[in-house]
Structure formats: C-alpha cells, structure tokens
Amino acid sequence: TATPLNFDPGARRDRFPTPIGVRHPTPFSSSYRRSVKILYLNGPNLNLLGTRQPEIYGRTTLADIEAHLTEVAKQHGATIKLRQSNHEGDLVSWIQEAGLAGEPIVLNAGAYTHTSIAIHDALRAAERPVVEVHLSNVFARESFRHHSYVSPAAAGVICGFGANSYALALEAICDLVGSRG
Ligand code: DQA
C-alpha cells in the first residue's frame, strides 16, 4: 500500500494521526504505557558547560539541562538519567550497562565523537536506540569535527541548537522507542 503523503513517523500523533493499518504507538498516544528511562551520556569537557567557550556552547550548564530534561521527560511519561565523564572508558562502561539494562541512549561524546572507535564498538554491541547530539553545529566548524564515529551507530543526529539539542533529542528518542515498543 502507498504511504500517505502526510505520513511522518516522527510527527506528534495529535497533529498527524497515524494512518490506518500502521502500528505506531508514541509517547503521545494513549496506547503508549511503558515508562522509558533514557540515558543521557556526556563526554569530555561538557562538565564545563556554562563557562566553556560560551560563544559556541552557550551559558546553560549541564545541571540546567538536566533539570529541564527531567521536567520535559515527565510530560513524555519518561525519566532521564544524565551522566558525564572526561574518561573514554567510563562512557564505554555506561554504554555497556545501557545495553544490558535495555535503556535508549542520547549521547554527546564531545571530542571522543571524532576519535573513539571504542565508543563506536560499545554502541554497536549495546544494540540500543541511540540519538547523537551536539550543542554546536559541528559541520560549520573545523573539518576534524565533520567525522563522527558515533553517527554510523546512531539512529540520527541533532546538532547546532545549543542546549535545546538535548530537548529535541528527547522528543526523537521517545518517538523512536515508542514506535518500536
Ligand atoms: C560538541 C562538539 C565537539 O566537536 C566538541 O569536541 C565538544 C562538544 C558539541 O556538543 O557541540 O566537546 O560535542
């Protein structure tokens, strides 16, 4: 059957009803019951958000982001757990834990995005839904930021919207998990 023109798997159900015959429960739909726990993992130097190069990363701290996400997640019937480490191995271990716990992951791997095969491998092994986020638009910056080891293991990438990238990722991951649930 042909896909209706207005079918958008990422769209809110209350704005775009799911076409008949397409099973697409989302966090916004009455058929969505499972409470999802979303793991927000943050890599090196993201503990400095708020003071680190504010012209690039803004003045919002990671604690501000966490508080905001916690509130927004409630409206999605979800909870979040936010972690940050400057150490690659911590991120690898947390991704492995998410794999075992069955938790979806929102990942800002910071500079490890551009270097870490270990994080790439951990994401592949975890087999969890992953949304890659960046505050800055990495593609409008230095060329060494244009390559990501995370992207091939992610469902999608959100970058360039400052702290709001994290909230947009919440929307994306809830929809992703809902549509798979
Ligand atoms: C970043 C972009 C990376 O290139 C950089 O190394 C970071 C932050 C971002 O959120 O824009 O640490 O991931």
Side-chain angles (χ1 to χ4, degrees):
T1 52
T3 304
L5 281 178
N6 71 349
F7 178 61
D8 175 358
R12 287 183 59 136
R13 211 172 186 212
D14 52 3
R15 276 190 278 130
F16 297 99
T18 300
I20 292 163
V22 176
R23 188 174 160 272
H24 184 236
T26 75
F28 313 104
S29 74
S30 57
S31 59
Y32 188 92
R33 290 279 175 261
R34 200 155 53 95
S35 176
V36 185
K37 184 166 164 193
I38 301 154
L39 191 57
Y40 271 80
L41 297 182
N42 295 274
N45 299 307
L46 292 166
N47 54 317
L48 302 178
L49 279 184
T51 54
R52 170 197 184 196
Q53 294 182 280
E55 69 285 3
I56 295 176
Y57 299 113
R59 298 217 175 261
T60 308
T61 66
L62 205 52
D64 294 335
I65 291 174
E66 183 176 21
H68 179 67
L69 290 173
T70 301
E71 280 312 303
V72 180
K74 273 185 208 158
Q75 297 158 22
H76 289 239
T79 57
I80 65 134
K81 183 164 74 181
L82 186 142
R83 299 176 118 174
Q84 186 278 332
S85 177
N86 295 327
H87 304 280
E88 189 176 12
D90 287 342
L91 295 163
V92 168
S93 295
W94 292 338
I95 292 165
Q96 289 182 6
E97 282 173 23
L100 292 172
E103 292 164 359
I105 302 166
V106 176
L107 176 61
N108 184 352
Y112 289 138
T113 304
H114 317 300
T115 62
S116 179
I117 298 170
I119 288 175
H120 173 97
D121 286 351
L123 292 170
R124 287 275 192 229
E127 295 184 332
R128 302 308 308 149
V130 177
V131 173
E132 175 181 354
V133 293
H134 301 284
L135 295 117
S136 64
N137 178 356
V138 286
F139 300 104
R141 301 181 64 194
E142 304 96 323
S143 59
F144 61 80
R145 296 184 204 277
H146 296 178
H147 178 264
S148 166
Y149 282 100
V150 173
S151 299
V157 185
I158 296 170
C159 74
F161 300 99
N164 198 33
S165 291
Y166 284 75
L168 293 168
L170 182 69
E171 188 106 359
I173 201 106
C174 283
D175 194 55
L176 207 56
V177 174
S179 61
R180 284 179 184 188

